[in-house]
Amino acid sequence: MIQPTSAIYTHLRRVLQQAYFLQNLGPKELDLLVVSLKATRVFKGFEIIRQGEPGDAFYLIASGNVSVWLKKDTRRVKVAELQADDFFGEMALISNEPRSATVVADGLTELFVLEKSVFEKILLKNPTIAAKLRKACETRAAKNRRS
């Protein structure tokens, strides 16, 4: 559990406040979100999420880099690279559809993970945030189809 007095807590709060879909989140909701995050570390080559699997969590990159891959016919295509303070995994949680891409750690990567139940409880209950998330999901899905 992340303590509200720690530097990590302060950093996470700042990063999350900058996320386009969290700008309308109230202070209590933001605090609940931050303390609900769980830290984990993965190594190079680890598939954090796999295209086609059900979505069970949202991820915020604390350090390291990841690559986002789409399976197109018989080949895999790299469509994005993400780094510290970027996030991923929200699309499957919003749409309740399978993961639309595979995300692989490019090296040692530290992540903060938010379980689906907490994501839904905090974020999808806020109508403004839910609308922004759905819009972003549609935009990313359209971009993925073009890739």
Side-chain angles (χ1 to χ4, degrees):
M1 178 88 51
I2 300 168
Q3 298 300 315
T5 56
S6 74
I8 294 171
Y9 176 90
T10 303
H11 175 76
L12 282 173
R13 200 169 198 286
R14 189 179 90 274
V15 169
L16 291 171
Q17 283 176 312
Q18 293 171 5
Y20 66 93
F21 59 88
L22 296 177
Q23 294 169 352
N24 295 93
L25 198 61
K28 288 182 182 179
E29 294 167 310
L30 185 61
D31 288 341
L32 181 57
L33 184 64
V34 172
V35 298
S36 299
L37 292 167
K38 296 177 183 168
T40 190
R41 180 179 293 161
V42 297
F43 297 94
K44 181 178 182 174
F46 182 80
E47 289 186 348
I48 302 160
I49 62 176
R50 289 182 186 96
Q51 186 173 349
E53 291 187 352
D56 60 354
F58 166 79
Y59 299 86
L60 175 67
I61 303 170
S63 67
N65 299 304
V66 301
S67 295
V68 181
W69 298 83
L70 289 178
K71 186 175 182 184
K72 298 279 190 168
D73 302 316
T74 59
R75 59 189 176 94
R76 279 179 36 159
V77 178
K78 184 191 250 185
V79 295
E81 292 181 3
L82 305 174
Q83 58 191 5
D85 298 343
D86 286 333
F87 56 88
F88 60 93
E90 77 282 6
M91 289 177 63
L93 302 184
I94 296 162
S95 67
N96 284 317
E97 293 179 6
R99 296 283 190 195
S100 61
T102 297
V103 177
V104 180
D106 291 338
L108 179 63
T109 303
E110 294 180 337
L111 302 164
F112 287 102
V113 183
L114 186 66
E115 299 297 323
K116 181 178 183 174
S117 60
V118 180
F119 182 90
E120 290 173 340
K121 178 180 170 185
I122 298 171
L123 302 180
L124 294 184
K125 280 193 173 180
N126 181 313
T128 304
I129 292 170
K132 285 183 178 184
L133 282 168
R134 286 187 180 89
K135 176 72 174 159
C137 183
E138 291 168 10
T139 302
R140 278 193 182 180
K143 180 183 175 194
N144 288 347
R145 283 190 296 273
R146 289 189 304 269
S147 297

